[in-house]
Amino acid sequence: MPAQAGIHWKHLDSGLCRNDGGKKDVRFSIHPWSRAMRIDVITLFPDFIESCARVGVVGRARERGLIEIATWNPRDFATDNYRSADDRCYGGGPGVVMMIDPLRKALDSVRRASGSEHGKAIYMSPQGARLDQAKVEAFAQRDHLILLCGRYEGVDERFIEHAVEEEISVGDYVLSGGELAAAIVIDAVGRLQDGVLHDAQSAQQDSFSDGLLDCPHYTRPEHHEWGDVPAVLASGDHAAIARWRMKQSLGRTWLRRPDLLEQVVLDKKQRALLDEFRREHEEKTTHDRDSGSGE
Ligand code: 4GY
């Protein structure tokens, strides 16, 4: 670990800063003022999280030391010979529930390793508040997250009451465990860390960064059996291109996710662009209807 004057590394002792010997530590050259975000994941399937954390944008960010990800298996904190982390459900019925004590010991280890003395977990569950980009951005601001993945029937409610700060759901469907949901949080939060995406613009150009859906994208060839690239995109007129993209974003959001459109305040220019889109859409659909498909 390179010694850096004036920079306090809370997590120096954790052994998680992946600075292989000779490699330059890019955290200091790109953003010397910021510390890598740390994400601890409590899971019965650490391999799943580890393999997710090795690929793509997040994998590269982790290699470069821009994010630290560590996994903790409650089984490793069990006290019996079977390494039990779950037990039968009180009240009867099928299935098992994750026990308090192995989880509690895993959390204590996270707290010691991260220096977050009173850190609580974020529990991935369908009972939680829905994850959206605003929530992802709020998580991305934090320097430490502890994600708790449930399996089976879930986690003993007393652990949730004492050691969980919030429950988060990635969508209204039931997974067989919280790991996929945690991987979603890691990916969405990881790509927003400083230095992770290629240019500062890429995160701002995202779908949802302004509460709207993304516009369509095209690459070569310009002319194809399946259609042509909209001429404006090849025109080199940057103002016209920006206008077209905004109009498409507004139009698609109006068509596909009117619920999102209700949450954003449009400026005068955007209202005019959306009106234009709607008029053209109206024209197109009436034309399609009139020149009918034989109905
Ligand atoms: N949906 N959003 C989700 C999930 C699996 C039984 C508790 C979701 O976040 N997590 O479906 N999780 C269940 C499986 C235990 C977690």
Side-chain angles (χ1 to χ4, degrees), residues 285-292:
T285 47
T286 37
H287 178 268
D288 287 354
R289 180 154 27 83
D290 293 348
S291 64

Side-chain angles (χ1 to χ4, degrees), residues 21 95 143 192 291-292 294:
D143 57 17
L192 293 184
S291 64

Side-chain angles (χ1 to χ4, degrees), residues 85-89 95-99 152-157:
D86 57 83
D87 203 343
R88 292 193 320 274
C89 218
V96 294
V97 173
M98 290 175 76
M99 297 159 76
Y152 319 121
E153 305 313 307
V155 165
D156 189 303
E157 192 65 22

Side-chain angles (χ1 to χ4, degrees), residues 4-294:
Q4 289 286 316
I7 296 173
H8 175 60
W9 283 78
K10 223 199 221 164
H11 308 317
L12 275 183
D13 62 339
S14 68
L16 293 160
C17 306
R18 303 216 146 189
N19 300 322
D20 346 33
K23 265 201 200 156
K24 195 174 166 205
D25 189 341
V26 291
R27 283 170 303 181
F28 296 120
S29 49
I30 299 180
H31 298 287
W33 54 88
S34 70
R35 189 178 58 220
M37 175 186 221
R38 176 177 175 129
I39 304 177
D40 288 285
V41 187
I42 300 174
T43 170
L44 289 168
F45 295 93
D47 292 350
F48 181 94
I49 300 294
E50 294 285 347
S51 59
C52 285
R54 265 196 298 274
V55 297
V57 162
V58 169
R60 199 164 349 107
R62 194 185 181 196
E63 270 170 27
R64 293 165 66 204
L66 298 170
I67 29 183
E68 297 165 13
I69 300 167
T71 55
W72 306 81
N73 190 343
R75 276 191 177 281
D76 295 338
F77 300 89
T79 46
D80 63 346
N81 289 332
Y82 307 102
R83 308 210 311 140
S84 309
D86 57 83
D87 203 343
R88 292 193 320 274
C89 218
Y90 268 109
V96 294
V97 173
M98 290 175 76
M99 297 159 76
I100 299 175
D101 281 327
L103 288 172
R104 183 185 184 175
K105 286 176 188 155
L107 179 63
D108 282 340
S109 291
V110 168
R111 287 173 171 174
R112 272 194 298 277
S114 63
S116 313
E117 218 183 321
H118 304 292
K120 288 192 173 189
I122 296 161
Y123 181 41
M124 307 311 306
S125 103
Q127 280 73 49
R130 278 289 292 278
L131 185 69
D132 60 12
Q133 192 62 19
K135 190 78 212 172
V136 166
E137 280 165 21
F139 282 153
Q141 298 290 312
R142 295 172 48 167
D143 57 17
H144 188 209
L145 295 176
I146 307 170
L147 305 180
L148 170 61
C149 305
R151 281 272 156 177
Y152 319 121
E153 305 313 307
V155 165
D156 189 303
E157 192 65 22
R158 292 165 294 181
F159 185 84
I160 298 174
E161 285 163 7
H162 283 82
V164 166
E165 58 172 314
E166 59 186 313
E167 279 183 61
I168 291 291
S169 166
V170 296
D172 295 336
Y173 39 77
V174 184
L175 304 168
S176 57
E179 285 76 13
L180 264 170
I184 286 171
V185 171
I186 293 169
D187 190 276
V189 161
R191 63 188 288 286
L192 293 184
Q193 299 304 301
D194 283 346
V196 171
L197 293 183
H198 277 307
D199 52 305
Q201 276 191 322
S202 1
Q204 273 166 26
Q205 283 177 0
D206 279 346
S207 175
F208 291 123
S209 71
D210 52 7
L212 299 173
L213 299 185
D214 207 359
C215 64
H217 302 282
Y218 299 87
T219 186
R220 291 193 299 177
E222 189 178 343
H223 303 288
H224 187 277
E225 201 186 330
W226 285 358
D228 299 332
V229 173
V232 60
L233 296 178
S235 70
D237 181 344
H238 297 296
I241 292 169
R243 204 174 159 278
W244 182 89
R245 286 181 169 156
M246 177 52 72
K247 183 172 156 187
Q248 295 301 316
S249 282
L250 291 160
R252 286 182 145 192
T253 312
W254 172 67
L255 283 174
R256 302 181 187 190
R257 293 294 303 277
D259 58 309
L260 292 179
L261 212 46
E262 273 164 36
Q263 306 301 310
V264 296
V265 189
L266 302 182
D267 62 27
K268 225 176 123 191
K269 251 172 110 180
Q270 289 174 315
R271 283 201 305 273
L273 285 172
L274 179 55
D275 284 344
E276 210 176 290
F277 184 99
R278 291 168 70 162
R279 272 198 305 276
E280 285 166 17
H281 179 78
E282 178 70 15
E283 235 167 71
K284 212 176 82 178
T285 47
T286 37
H287 178 268
D288 287 354
R289 180 154 27 83
D290 293 348
S291 64
S293 45

